[in-house]
Amino acid sequence: MTQNTPALAIVVKGWPRLSETFIAQELVALEEAGHDFEIWSLRYPTDKKRHPLHDRLKARVRYLPEYLHEDPARVWAAREIAQRLPGYREAYRIWRQDLARDRNLNRIRRFGQACVLAAELPADTHGLYAHFMHTPSSVARYAAIMRDLPWSFSAHAKDIWTSPEWEKREKLQADTYGAEFGATCTAFGAAHLREMSDDPARVDLIYHGLDLTRFPAPPRKGPADLRKPEDPFHMVSVGRLVEKKGFDKLIDAFAQLPSTLNWHWTHIGGGGLKGALTAQAVSAGVADRITWRGACDQPEVISAMREADLFVLPSRIAADGDRDGLPNVLMEAASQLLPILSTPVSAIPEFIDTGIHGTLSEDDPAALAKAITVIAANPAQTQSMAHAARTRLTQEFGMNPGIARLSKRLHDLCQPINS
């Protein structure tokens, strides 16, 4: 393989994205492991900043038409080519079957993007790999059928828990043009997907892990040792302002903290609930203790973690079933010896045993307020748990084992049939 003739096409929802550092980390590691690939993005970037990881990637990035009507000439030319491909009729049949069960414009857009992808893939492409089981996997699947190529996916959180059951099953069955393999980043998610597959071995548990070479060594002293008596107890959260992150419950918890506790909270991340949450903070009387920093790159995130006393992520299950998997920000906090307060949702207990590596609280405001109060009053015990979390991170959640397993899977996927 050479950089000019990629054997693998990687389909992502958007590139680059600040909120998906785990994807950038994986792709850089795969490139360094010798994989040649192109990235095909369904959307153009919207973030104004980039992570240093994005600049390390050498792969070519190509953008599919985000909305079909914006580039009709490209779409129709691609469809003419796609219609002559060996698997077009079958891909069209399957798409029509899917559309009958999921009548929306997004499903139509997926097929149009798949036509462009199938038409424009380099001739020597041997396989497709999609990040996220929903939209990117649908585009990859339709295109793979058209080109008679194997495909695979990596599933994470929302894509698992909000996708229709029929769609997940069909993407995991050999007789419905399912993936050669599916990787997912939590044991919780892997168990769910294996129940839907015709072969449990089709689903791999591959933790993202953390590439600790990208992070500074933790401070020699813990946050509590560095804080002056007059300084507030400083909490930080990193996560999109969406329902499943539970920040509305956290704001209600802040309003219940004892008046004797001097505290401040910094939030990092974008998201659609910013207006509602800032208004909630004003109504709760805590707005003057909150800093909303918006989207930040990774060096800024790590700097904020090193200045904080507690990392808080009050995840919960959203009304539509969406939930976190195992958020990488928990591991990033552990890398800096920052104590952690979270909730026992989804795969978070796979990394944090409450009372050992951090504190897991119910996502109830009163419970969160009580946990914050106890943590602030017991810095020595809290710092001991932070050390335990970092030890677990380094011993069990390094990046390399997962990358080695994924690399082998992708290498096998891309082997020519006649090799």
Side-chain angles (χ1 to χ4, degrees):
M1 293 187 296
T2 70
Q3 291 291 346
N4 294 324
T5 56
L8 180 66
I10 296 180
V11 182
V12 299
K13 197 166 187 179
W15 184 272
R17 282 186 161 184
L18 288 174
S19 62
E20 295 174 359
T21 316
F22 58 93
I23 296 178
Q25 172 183 272
E26 176 192 287
L27 298 190
V28 168
L30 287 173
E31 198 169 62
E32 291 175 349
H35 289 270
D36 290 340
F37 52 82
E38 287 185 340
I39 297 172
W40 293 79
S41 178
L42 308 187
R43 294 181 178 177
Y44 290 95
T46 57
D47 294 323
K48 296 179 180 179
K49 297 182 179 181
R50 294 168 62 95
H51 285 306
L53 271 173
H54 295 135
D55 296 325
R56 286 174 55 184
L57 197 74
K58 300 180 178 65
R60 180 183 180 184
V61 181
R62 301 180 67 174
Y63 292 92
L64 295 169
E66 186 167 346
Y67 297 101
L68 304 183
H69 68 270
E70 292 179 348
D71 198 349
R74 184 183 178 193
V75 173
W76 284 110
R79 193 180 183 201
E80 287 187 10
I81 295 171
Q83 287 175 321
R84 298 193 293 269
L85 294 173
Y88 178 83
R89 286 182 179 272
E90 187 64 8
Y92 182 78
R93 181 190 70 79
I94 290 172
W95 170 69
R96 292 289 300 184
Q97 178 178 287
D98 293 347
L99 182 63
R101 295 172 289 186
D102 180 32
R103 290 190 174 277
N104 62 65
L105 292 176
N106 184 42
R107 182 67 63 175
I108 296 171
R109 184 164 62 247
R110 294 182 202 184
F111 191 75
Q113 290 177 317
C115 287
V116 176
L117 177 60
E120 296 182 2
L121 279 175
D124 72 324
T125 302
H126 294 149
L128 293 88
Y129 171 56
H131 259 288
F132 292 107
M133 194 179 184
H134 50 5
T135 304
S137 283
S138 293
V139 173
R141 180 181 178 225
Y142 299 143
I145 297 170
M146 292 180 203
R147 290 285 295 265
D148 192 22
L149 292 171
W151 71 282
S152 57
F153 68 84
S154 183
H156 303 291
K158 181 178 182 179
D159 51 328
I160 298 176
W161 305 112
T162 63
S163 293
E165 295 286 310
W166 61 264
E167 185 165 17
K168 288 184 284 190
R169 289 188 183 278
E170 292 178 11
K171 287 176 177 176
L172 286 165
Q173 306 283 331
D175 61 357
T176 50
Y177 298 92
E180 290 293 311
F181 76 89
T184 190
C185 51
T186 69
F188 188 72
H192 176 73
L193 294 179
R194 284 169 181 158
E195 290 178 354
M196 300 186 177
S197 177
D198 56 354
D199 179 4
R202 194 183 299 278
V203 178
D204 258 352
L205 168 60
I206 300 179
Y207 287 114
H208 297 305
L210 211 61
D211 178 7
L212 289 170
T213 64
R214 296 192 292 108
F215 297 88
R220 293 184 64 184
K221 293 185 178 182
D225 299 317
L226 302 175
R227 190 172 71 250
K228 299 175 183 178
E230 66 273 15
D231 290 341
F233 181 71
H234 188 187
M235 295 169 279
V236 65
S237 297
V238 181
R240 290 180 299 125
L241 295 169
V242 294
E243 183 187 359
K244 71 178 179 180
K245 298 297 183 180
F247 294 128
D248 56 334
K249 298 288 185 74
L250 185 59
I251 291 172
D252 284 343
F254 291 151
Q256 298 183 34
L257 291 175
S259 59
T260 54
L261 179 60
N262 181 18
W263 63 272
H264 192 87
W265 179 55
T266 295
H267 176 270
I268 294 175
L273 294 181
K274 173 70 179 297
L277 292 172
T278 52
Q280 180 186 349
V282 171
S283 179
V286 297
D288 60 337
R289 293 174 178 262
I290 295 175
T291 299
W292 304 94
R293 290 191 56 182
C296 293
D297 60 30
Q298 195 160 59
E300 292 171 320
V301 169
I302 296 304
S303 176
M305 287 180 172
R306 292 169 71 89
E307 296 171 358
D309 300 298
L310 179 67
F311 184 83
V312 187
L313 188 66
S315 301
R316 73 170 189 265
I317 299 174
D320 64 355
D322 189 13
R323 68 201 75 179
D324 277 328
L326 176 52
N328 266 32
V329 288
L330 295 177
M331 289 182 274
E332 292 173 5
S335 79
Q336 301 305 303
L337 286 177
L338 180 58
I340 294 168
L341 169 61
S342 193
T343 54
V345 169
S346 191
I348 292 172
E350 293 176 34
F351 180 56
I352 300 294
D353 287 323
T354 191
I356 299 175
H357 310 100
T359 302
L360 299 183
S361 165
E362 295 304 317
D363 64 354
D364 171 74
L368 288 167
K370 181 179 179 181
I372 292 169
T373 303
V374 170
I375 290 168
N378 294 276
Q381 179 186 16
T382 300
Q383 201 58 44
S384 175
M385 289 190 287
H387 279 276
R390 190 173 196 280
T391 298
R392 188 172 208 185
L393 169 65
T394 58
Q395 294 181 351
E396 302 177 38
F397 287 85
M399 176 189 69
N400 292 338
I403 290 297
R405 185 167 181 82
L406 180 60
S407 178
K408 184 180 186 307
R409 279 286 208 176
L410 291 173
H411 180 270
D412 293 345
L413 180 83
C414 290
Q415 291 304 301
I417 295 174
N418 60 356
S419 63

